[in-house]
Amino acid sequence: MNYMSHFHRDPNIVNGQWVIKGTRVTLRTILGTLAEGATEEEILTDFPTLTHDDVRAVIAFAAASAAEDLPVPELSTV
């Protein structure tokens, strides 16, 4: 998935935070809502301008960011 195609950043929109293209919904808002336990369906209801692919793009972005920033412990050998 090319998740970056779903995002936009403009200094005149929400102070330059990353948002879903065509909206003012920030990635941070979606991630925070997921972290609080909201389902994808609840997010789509709360933010009707979003699509299933938008939410999936945010999750993919978070996964890729975590993979780059977090140290990965070595697996023990058997």
Side-chain angles (χ1 to χ4, degrees), residues 20-33:
I20 300 296
K21 279 187 181 176
T23 77
R24 297 177 65 83
V25 181
T26 66
L27 276 65
R28 183 180 304 211
T29 297
I30 297 169
L31 287 172
T33 304

Side-chain angles (χ1 to χ4, degrees), residues 9-78:
R9 191 174 192 182
D10 181 324
N12 297 313
I13 300 173
V14 196
N15 295 317
Q17 293 184 49
W18 284 102
V19 297
I20 300 296
K21 279 187 181 176
T23 77
R24 297 177 65 83
V25 181
T26 66
L27 276 65
R28 183 180 304 211
T29 297
I30 297 169
L31 287 172
T33 304
L34 286 166
E36 290 175 353
T39 65
E40 181 179 339
E41 193 59 41
E42 290 170 327
I43 291 171
L44 295 175
T45 298
D46 290 345
F47 303 99
T49 57
L50 300 182
T51 67
H52 165 79
D53 286 342
D54 292 333
V55 176
R56 292 314 222 183
V58 172
I59 294 167
F61 169 79
S65 295
E68 291 175 8
D69 294 339
L70 296 175
V72 178
E74 290 188 33
L75 297 174
S76 60
T77 57
V78 178

